[in-house]
Amino acid sequence: MSGVWYMRICALATAALLCKSAYSASLDGVQQNPDPLFLKELSARIGCDDAAQWVAMPETGADQFTATLSTMKSEAKKREGREDRARSWYSLIKKHLFNTKKIAEQCRREPSAVKEDGIAMLASKYPDGLTVVALGGFGSHSGSEGTLTTSFAQWQKSNANLVASKKIDFVRVECSFSYSPDETFCADDMLHTLQESIKRQDPSGKHKLLLWGYSKGGLSAVEMLRKSSWLRDQTVAVISVGSPFQGSMLIDRMAPAVDAFVESSRIPGTSETMGADTVMKLLQMWVGGARTDIDEIMTNFGKVREGVHSLTTKSRADYLKRKLIPNNFLRSNGSKIQVFQIAGIIDPSRVLALPVMRVKGGKLFAVDHSHDPLHTAQATAMMSATAKPLSDSCVALEDALLPVEPAHGSGLDSQFLALVRLDHLGLRFHRMATEVKHGVPDHAIVDAAIATVARRIQP
């Protein structure tokens, strides 16, 4: 079986399980269209044909996104009870959001953005200096490299003079034990680290901050802003990427497994023992493939359990109800803080979930590097969340966005920046050496996002 045919069959099988009951999906939480400027900025960097490979949007343009979702829901509902309903959502996604040829044509019909270095554009608005703060997520403290590593290196080369003059600076901030909840530990811990770092870099306190939060890091950013008036006044904007503001479909399934491991070490309803290995694999899916320190996790498993439960849909709904207090996030001058949100949508045809098998010398063997074990976990996550067919494998689209009205009322200006065709791990925008997949234009996507923010920001 050729690799191409294998991937087609794998994609169909994955889609069939993914969409088994997804005709009943609810996407009412998606109330904003992505920013059409993002595609223009990305195409200015890599061209319309390549940009269309990485942006999910209707062929008629980003401003038709919510209307298109309504159309997709109506079309999927009509297939209820039919044999082909299992493939409905994947077919609809390909038709309405992954039509790269039509997206490229739409891109070429629109005036192109002028290619400018995104970080330099943004920094020019803040003459006293700008620091980009990369906030890691669940388990990211154990990784040697965090989100934005690729872009940090590129910006240091392309803007050497601005970096040398400290007009632009970069800092990575991790919670010292990032499995912990934000409310009870991580936000305070990260805020302390950030304040100490900024004092060393800029004793005058004039540097402004752009908070870039990957995954749980986006939640950390919001909680840090809630806790600190200093941070609210210093922050020019937040960019969240794949952040489970309203919960995670993966965590919702992980939480019972963690509870079972803690309470009885057995899978409920069976005699099978759930070992540490199983729980580690579940955690690794969220961590992003980084090697985890099992001893550290097992020693602090109570905190890990609390952290897992803090990210469930139920806990997030409770947090947003309790903490999005009217005007609570306003800066001291009364202005709102813009939160630009990037979400991911996984393409099953790009998932290397199963190995390619071949026969040689009468024996069946798996082709080296033909699959990625983490992709297998992602496929499993998609299959188990059929009611949320638009997701990055960990966080559903509707859960990656702050609820518009409560956020605005609290002083957070919630904006949907982009929907990109990447899984949750890819949203780190930094390829790890152990990953099978290659070719993602990480820095181009990041710089296009920064450039879009530079043009949309309200100082």
Side-chain angles (χ1 to χ4, degrees):
M1 181 187 297
S2 72
V4 172
W5 278 106
Y6 164 78
M7 285 306 299
R8 289 176 179 172
I9 292 173
C10 179
L12 287 173
T14 302
L17 286 168
L18 166 66
C19 305
K20 188 174 181 180
S21 62
Y23 55 81
S24 61
S26 173
L27 296 166
D28 296 337
V30 183
Q31 300 174 334
Q32 295 175 299
N33 295 318
D35 194 324
L37 181 57
F38 176 78
L39 177 60
K40 296 179 184 180
E41 291 291 352
L42 185 58
S43 64
R45 287 153 177 78
I46 60 177
C48 283
D49 288 335
D50 285 341
Q53 298 290 328
W54 301 106
V55 177
M57 61 178 283
E59 63 183 66
T60 49
D63 59 354
Q64 294 298 308
F65 185 77
T66 54
T68 299
L69 288 188
S70 296
T71 299
M72 292 168 68
K73 287 172 62 178
S74 297
E75 291 183 21
K77 187 68 175 178
K78 292 176 183 177
R79 302 191 187 199
E80 183 174 353
R82 285 168 40 177
E83 291 184 0
D84 66 344
R85 67 177 169 81
R87 297 189 299 274
S88 63
W89 268 101
Y90 184 55
S91 299
L92 291 169
I93 290 169
K94 288 199 300 181
K95 174 184 175 182
H96 290 285
L97 301 179
F98 289 175
N99 192 332
T100 54
K101 181 179 179 181
K102 294 294 186 179
I103 295 172
E105 290 175 358
Q106 169 74 14
C107 174
R108 284 190 283 270
R109 284 196 295 270
E110 297 290 334
S112 298
V114 177
K115 182 181 178 181
E116 297 181 61
D117 188 284
I119 196 66
M121 287 173 59
L122 188 59
S124 68
K125 295 177 176 290
Y126 303 97
D128 291 321
L130 178 73
T131 296
V132 178
V133 183
L135 304 172
F138 194 72
S140 60
H141 71 283
S142 63
S144 60
E145 295 181 317
T147 184
L148 294 187
T149 301
T150 299
S151 290
F152 279 5
Q154 182 61 40
W155 284 326
Q156 287 171 331
K157 291 179 181 178
S158 61
N159 295 280
N161 291 336
L162 288 176
V163 172
S165 66
K166 295 297 182 180
K167 293 294 184 180
I168 299 177
D169 215 335
F170 314 102
V171 61
R172 174 189 174 190
V173 176
E174 304 286 359
C175 179
S176 58
F177 189 70
S178 57
Y179 298 109
S180 298
D182 282 307
E183 275 195 89
T184 58
F185 182 73
C186 278
D188 285 327
D189 184 65
M190 296 168 81
L191 186 58
H192 174 75
T193 300
L194 177 59
Q195 288 176 316
E196 291 299 313
S197 176
I198 295 302
K199 286 178 183 177
R200 290 194 300 270
Q201 294 174 344
D202 175 41
S204 69
K206 294 181 178 180
H207 255 241
K208 293 297 183 180
L209 308 177
L210 173 71
L211 306 183
W212 181 291
Y214 165 61
S215 193
K216 179 174 174 282
L219 312 189
S220 302
V222 170
E223 178 63 3
M224 290 162 67
L225 287 167
R226 187 187 72 82
K227 288 175 175 286
S228 172
S229 59
W230 167 82
L231 187 60
R232 291 196 294 273
D233 284 343
Q234 292 296 113
T235 298
V236 300
V238 177
I239 299 179
S240 68
V241 185
S243 297
F245 285 116
Q246 300 192 63
S248 161
M249 62 187 202
L250 176 64
I251 290 290
D252 282 345
R253 299 192 66 84
M254 184 191 296
V258 171
D259 289 344
F261 174 75
V262 172
E263 293 168 3
S264 66
S265 296
R266 294 186 184 279
I267 299 175
T270 76
S271 59
E272 182 181 351
T273 299
M274 180 182 289
D277 223 18
T278 303
V279 176
M280 290 307 106
K281 288 178 180 177
L282 288 167
L283 291 172
Q284 187 184 43
M285 174 63 190
W286 189 274
V287 172
R291 292 179 61 88
T292 55
D293 187 332
I294 293 179
D295 289 339
E296 180 190 32
I297 290 176
M298 300 311 295
T299 301
N300 299 279
F301 209 87
K303 293 180 180 178
V304 174
R305 186 185 188 188
E306 291 177 8
V308 167
H309 277 278
S310 75
L311 299 173
T312 62
T313 302
K314 181 180 179 181
S315 292
R316 290 303 304 166
D318 175 67
Y319 174 88
L320 295 174
K321 183 178 180 179
R322 288 185 294 107
K323 301 303 182 182
L324 290 188
I325 300 170
N327 300 323
N328 200 36
F329 287 87
L330 294 177
R331 300 186 182 96
S332 59
N333 64 5
S335 62
K336 292 184 177 182
I337 298 173
Q338 292 168 284
V339 182
F340 297 90
Q341 297 151 106
I342 299 174
I345 180 170
I346 195 167
D347 183 346
S349 69
R350 294 178 179 177
V351 176
L352 306 179
L354 300 172
V356 174
M357 306 300 294
R358 293 197 178 139
V359 177
K360 184 176 182 180
K363 294 182 178 180
L364 189 67
F365 71 97
V367 176
D368 290 342
H369 307 301
S370 62
H371 89 297
D372 185 331
L374 287 174
H375 284 200
T376 306
Q378 288 178 323
T380 303
M382 289 189 295
M383 294 171 192
S384 66
T386 55
K388 296 188 175 184
L390 276 66
S391 78
D392 62 18
S393 76
C394 289
V395 183
L397 169 60
E398 58 268 37
D399 293 337
L401 304 175
L402 279 164
V404 175
E405 291 183 7
H408 282 211
S410 71
L412 295 172
D413 185 0
S414 174
Q415 301 188 28
F416 188 5
L417 183 60
L419 179 62
V420 293
R421 289 175 64 179
L422 286 171
D423 57 40
H424 193 74
L425 307 186
L427 293 175
R428 284 192 317 252
F429 298 121
H430 175 64
R431 302 297 99 186
M432 302 294 285
T434 56
E435 289 180 343
V436 174
K437 56 187 178 179
H438 297 285
V440 180
D442 290 314
H443 177 63
I445 294 174
V446 170
D447 203 59
I450 296 286
T452 304
V453 169
R455 298 184 193 277
R456 299 297 195 204
I457 204 163
Q458 300 168 5

